[in-house]
Amino acid sequence: WSYSIKLSRSLSPSLSLGLLSACVHGGDFPVRHPYFFRSKCVSCTFTALFIPFPSAPVSTVKFESCLHNREVVFVSSDPAFSVRSDGSVYVEQEVANLSKPVQFMVTARGLRDTRIWETTVKLMLSRAWDSQPRLIKFPRKHLRSSSSNSLRRQKRDWVIPPINVPENSRGPFPQMLVRIRSDQDVTVGIRYSITGAGADQPPSDIYSIDPVNGKMFVTKPLDREERASYHLRAHAVDMNGNQVENPIDLYIYVIDMNDNRPEFQNQVYNGSVDEGSKPGSSVMQVTAGDADDFTTANGMVRYRILSQTPHNPIPNMFTINSETGDIITVAAGLDREKVSQYTIIVQATDMEGNLNYGLSNTATALISITDINDNPPELTDKTFSGEVPENKVNVVVTNLTVVDRDQPHSVNWNAVYRIASGDPSGHFTVRTNPVTNEGMLTVVKPVDFEMNRAFMLMVVVSNQAHLASGIQSSLSSTAGVTISVQDVNEPPVFPVNPKLIRFEEGVPAGTTLTVFSAQDPDHFIHQTVRYSKLSDPANWLRINRTNGQISTMALLDRESMYVKNNVYEATFLAFDNGAPQASGTGTLQIYLIDVNDNAPVLMPREGQVCERARPASRVNITASDADGDPNVGPFVFELPSFPASVRRNWTVSRLNGDYAQLRLKIPYLESGFYDIPVFVSDSGNPPLSNRSVIRIKVCPCDDNGDCSATGAVAAAGLGTGAIIAILICIIILLTMVLIFVMWMKRREKERQAKPLLIDPEDDVRDNILKYDEEGGGEEDQDYDLSQLQQPESLDHIINKPAGVRRVDERPVIAESQYPVRPSLPHPGDIGDFIIDGLRAADNDPTAPPYDSLLVFDYEGSGSTAGSVSSLNSSSSGDQDYDYLNDWGPRFKKLADLYGGGEEN
């Protein structure tokens, strides 16, 4: 078999032409190219990839070894070419003329196998962009084995030329690429077709094939950036549709053209570098991509700087790595205070930066110069001065102005001030103004004109950040400050404040306690100090206006509510006669020593014991004394000798120094309340005594020693008879309430069971009568209105024959007589009276309604009836209607109407 490789016009030695690999396994091995020539192989596949670029391997042949990586040795029959162990074909001698194809034999054998395989390699001239249709035929294969001298012919399948199509071709279209032919088309009619992406699958209709002669066409320009290769399958069938050849794979590679400019990821790049950076310092990186094939010059991008703005200190402060896009500094002299930002225009060009053939694009790089602390702060003056009044704090004496050329409001610019000398007592500090960076010299500790009339300070300024390496501090970073202290009228000052003195309580009024005087600190001005009282809660003291002598106006009482922890406080005011007047305050604390001036008081004032003496029935008593130690306990408790019943019935026994017990002395004492006087004495010198009364309740007790309920009542002063009387009254009251409730319930039941005198539905007081009868409308208008007129006389009615009348007319007969109501009827006869009246009305033919169907007849021109106001009561004389009030709530309205007397 043979393998064809297309070469450039001239080859130099050591140029790799391709890669040949063989599969040693029983006799046959194939060769595949990107256009894929193929013959049958029992056990292996041999693939060659054609790469038609100058100065690069002309072809790479890849194969899948069935020897499992066993070594194969290749030998070329032409000394101008060699095949290495990895299958690479190299040019060993100068080959200047390739106008005719070069052909040589390659022998392959395994190191551990005695069999030998041979193939023919044919080299011919070719261009990567050559698109003329070609037909390349493989010669027949020859196989020779050392173990057998016989040759075996292998049948060929298809002869398929390689296909390389450049992108963006201008046509004309369809453009023929290659002709595919089966070697059986001589004897059999063949029909060709192709399938796959680009043919019958999306993107479809890019490739087509003449089914008769096998010519394959491309129908439109290709774009490698959209699709770089196509994989098709070619089919050959006879006229009946039967497969003649096995389908074969077609690989079409789109040759890249330089049709895309480089594109930067950003149009503006931002970077930074410290000022004063050394040459070679990295700044930033710009990146551009090219959609063309990056393995070719079309996609190889190179960078360069077109311009730099500004040009200070030199026009070329930066350079860029042409391959990586890294921007670095190439010169020293970056100074933010002179140039804070540079604008760099960067150009990216493909074709490895060839400006004649490559496509270019530009982007902007903004390089900010980062500030470093290379400028020390400098004070604007060598000396500063200011004035401050004495005794004032948080006052700004003067502002120290400073200049710093570093970036404002950064740690390299912010000033820090320090007082180096002249203020050993720490009266001043220098605070930084965050806006102006000035130093505010401030008083933090009051100064005294009488002590220091002036200060000479030395102030040093620096930055928050340390100065950069190699930068020295400036002499202007130090300045002197002169401060003058202004004298002001200071208030008088009490030397001891507060002043504590000790006195016994109870000293008489007019007693001199102490002299509480103040001093005027203004030594250089003679002024008079006067005094007054500012605060005296108990109004016990007075002060001499001239010399500050304190005396009493009342007795001092340690037990007063104004004394806290034995100390009484009063505040006094001292003021001078300066202009303006100044005053100061002083506090006098009087510690009152206790004397025994309060007698003890018995506690508690009430108690309870059982009427029969028991061990646990007793009252613990103690005493309260407003004095303090040693004028309080231990206390002495005694019962008086008068009245005699006290000591006869009661006894007091001492428990300890502060407590005693009061209990019955006799076995039994009648229940009740008893007031027991007790004398209590304290331990003062001399002791004070007090007669106190404790109220004791004596009551019967249960087993637990607690007063029972009966005993408690008895103790309250009620006898047994009174208790029984109270209980009987309670029972009678409850019985009366119960009887009244039962009577009310019974009356309610009778009222509900008794029938009403009239039907509730006919009670006009509680019902609304609804009339919903209406006329017949327009269809009910045909009637004789004359029938509604009243006749002039009643003769037509009177003259009617007897027994002949209308049922809706009032009969002309004597009216029925209704029962007469007695003047004073009994409430029980009301029902009978109403029933009799109802019976008479039912049997009265003259009482309306005459019939259920009312027919309105002639009414006449006027009414024969008189005025209703002419009707009078049938009863004669005065009648008393007060009995209506006895008929219950249903007749209350009638009682109100008729029972009112002559006024109603």
Side-chain angles (χ1 to χ4, degrees), residues 363-435:
T364 302
L366 301 178
I367 302 175
S368 299
I369 308 303
T370 306
D371 182 51
I372 63 173
N373 194 12
D374 58 344
N375 293 281
E378 298 178 353
L379 293 166
T380 57
D381 294 321
K382 279 296 182 182
T383 60
F384 295 87
S385 62
E387 293 182 348
V388 59
E390 63 175 335
N391 301 323
K392 296 289 185 179
V393 294
N394 295 325
V395 177
V396 177
V397 180
T398 185
N399 289 326
L400 310 179
T401 55
V402 69
V403 175
D404 195 321
R405 291 178 295 171
D406 289 322
Q407 185 174 356
H409 305 291
S410 66
V411 294
N412 301 325
W413 179 82
N414 294 336
V416 178
Y417 298 88
R418 177 176 58 88
I419 298 176
S421 61
D423 185 24
S425 300
H427 292 282
F428 305 94
T429 187
V430 183
R431 299 166 180 167
T432 304
N433 188 317
V435 178

Side-chain angles (χ1 to χ4, degrees), residues 454-470:
F455 291 88
M456 298 294 295
L457 307 181
M458 187 64 65
V459 179
V460 179
V461 62
S462 60
N463 291 123
Q464 287 183 351
H466 296 291
L467 290 174
S469 177

Side-chain angles (χ1 to χ4, degrees), residues 179-490:
R179 179 184 177 186
I180 300 174
R181 184 179 63 81
S182 173
D183 55 0
Q184 298 186 28
D185 60 354
V186 179
T187 58
V188 180
I190 302 297
R191 291 294 181 266
Y192 301 97
S193 63
I194 55 176
T195 60
D200 61 344
Q201 299 177 13
S204 57
D205 300 331
I206 295 179
Y207 301 100
S208 63
I209 190 170
D210 190 321
V212 177
N213 55 26
K215 293 181 179 181
M216 184 175 173
F217 301 91
V218 59
T219 61
K220 61 181 68 174
L222 302 180
D223 189 354
R224 192 203 67 85
E225 286 70 43
E226 292 183 1
R227 194 179 183 103
S229 64
Y230 296 87
H231 179 198
L232 304 178
R233 299 196 62 150
H235 306 269
V237 297
D238 59 14
M239 302 303 293
N240 296 325
N242 299 320
Q243 179 176 313
V244 177
E245 301 285 355
N246 293 327
I248 191 169
D249 295 327
L250 301 178
Y251 288 92
I252 302 175
Y253 293 93
V254 183
I255 301 175
D256 182 50
M257 297 295 176
N258 189 22
D259 57 345
N260 291 278
R261 293 180 179 274
E263 295 291 340
F264 283 94
Q265 294 181 357
N266 302 301
Q267 280 303 113
V268 178
Y269 290 84
N270 292 284
S272 62
V273 63
D274 290 340
E275 62 176 330
S277 297
K278 297 179 180 180
S281 300
S282 177
V283 179
M284 60 190 302
Q285 183 184 31
V286 296
T287 305
D290 197 315
D292 292 326
D293 188 0
F294 67 92
T295 62
T296 66
N298 298 334
M300 296 181 180
V301 179
R302 298 295 182 265
Y303 304 92
R304 72 189 188 102
I305 294 178
L306 294 182
S307 65
Q308 168 193 307
T309 305
H311 292 172
N312 295 336
I314 61 174
N316 299 318
M317 290 294 296
F318 306 94
T319 187
I320 188 171
N321 188 306
S322 61
E323 294 184 1
T324 63
D326 291 323
I327 299 177
I328 59 176
T329 60
V330 294
L334 293 176
D335 191 348
R336 190 204 64 84
E337 288 71 39
K338 294 180 180 179
V339 179
S340 61
Q341 187 181 71
Y342 289 90
T343 301
I344 305 297
I345 304 300
V346 180
Q347 182 184 57
T349 306
D350 56 15
M351 296 300 293
E352 297 183 288
N354 191 322
L355 299 178
N356 295 325
Y357 304 105
L359 302 177
S360 301
N361 211 339
T362 60
T364 302
L366 301 178
I367 302 175
S368 299
I369 308 303
T370 306
D371 182 51
I372 63 173
N373 194 12
D374 58 344
N375 293 281
E378 298 178 353
L379 293 166
T380 57
D381 294 321
K382 279 296 182 182
T383 60
F384 295 87
S385 62
E387 293 182 348
V388 59
E390 63 175 335
N391 301 323
K392 296 289 185 179
V393 294
N394 295 325
V395 177
V396 177
V397 180
T398 185
N399 289 326
L400 310 179
T401 55
V402 69
V403 175
D404 195 321
R405 291 178 295 171
D406 289 322
Q407 185 174 356
H409 305 291
S410 66
V411 294
N412 301 325
W413 179 82
N414 294 336
V416 178
Y417 298 88
R418 177 176 58 88
I419 298 176
S421 61
D423 185 24
S425 300
H427 292 282
F428 305 94
T429 187
V430 183
R431 299 166 180 167
T432 304
N433 188 317
V435 178
T436 63
N437 213 27
E438 294 179 350
M440 299 180 295
L441 184 62
T442 308
V443 180
V444 294
K445 185 178 179 180
V447 294
D448 190 355
F449 176 81
E450 286 72 27
M451 299 293 295
N452 294 292
R453 297 188 179 186
F455 291 88
M456 298 294 295
L457 307 181
M458 187 64 65
V459 179
V460 179
V461 62
S462 60
N463 291 123
Q464 287 183 351
H466 296 291
L467 290 174
S469 177
I471 305 299
Q472 300 295 327
S473 298
S474 173
L475 296 177
S476 299
S477 299
T478 303
V481 182
T482 302
I483 302 175
S484 299
V485 180
Q486 298 175 344
D487 187 23
V488 296
N489 184 25
E490 300 178 78

Side-chain angles (χ1 to χ4, degrees), residues 528-646:
T528 303
V529 179
R530 295 291 182 265
Y531 303 91
S532 65
K533 185 169 62 174
L534 185 62
S535 173
D536 183 12
N539 199 23
W540 287 343
L541 308 175
R542 67 165 58 95
I543 186 170
N544 188 294
R545 180 177 177 83
T546 303
N547 57 17
Q549 179 176 312
I550 306 295
S551 60
T552 62
M553 295 191 304
L555 291 175
L556 304 182
D557 186 6
R558 191 193 69 85
E559 290 74 35
S560 172
M561 59 180 295
Y562 302 105
V563 178
K564 307 297 181 184
N565 298 324
N566 299 336
V567 176
Y568 178 76
E569 285 190 357
T571 306
F572 299 93
L573 185 67
F575 52 91
D576 58 21
N577 58 349
Q581 188 181 70
S583 62
T585 60
T587 301
L588 178 64
Q589 295 179 340
I590 305 175
Y591 185 89
L592 296 177
I593 302 172
D594 184 45
V595 296
N596 192 18
D597 57 348
N598 293 279
V601 178
L602 184 68
M603 293 180 64
R605 307 306 296 269
E606 294 181 353
Q608 174 182 300
V609 297
C610 297
E611 62 183 0
R612 298 187 181 276
R614 294 187 180 186
S617 180
R618 61 194 63 187
V619 178
N620 292 332
I621 59 176
T622 185
S624 173
D625 196 329
D627 294 324
D629 289 333
N631 299 318
V632 289
F635 299 104
V636 177
F637 302 91
E638 292 178 341
L639 295 176
S641 57
F642 181 83
S645 60
V646 174

Side-chain angles (χ1 to χ4, degrees), residues 494-541:
F494 290 91
V496 180
N497 190 14
K499 183 177 183 180
L500 178 64
I501 60 176
R502 300 172 65 91
F503 270 90
E504 287 186 353
E505 64 173 329
V507 294
T511 303
T512 300
L513 300 181
T514 186
V515 176
F516 196 26
S517 60
Q519 298 175 359
D520 192 345
D522 295 319
H523 303 306
F524 302 100
I525 303 175
H526 179 70
Q527 297 179 130
T528 303
V529 179
R530 295 291 182 265
Y531 303 91
S532 65
K533 185 169 62 174
L534 185 62
S535 173
D536 183 12
N539 199 23
W540 287 343
L541 308 175

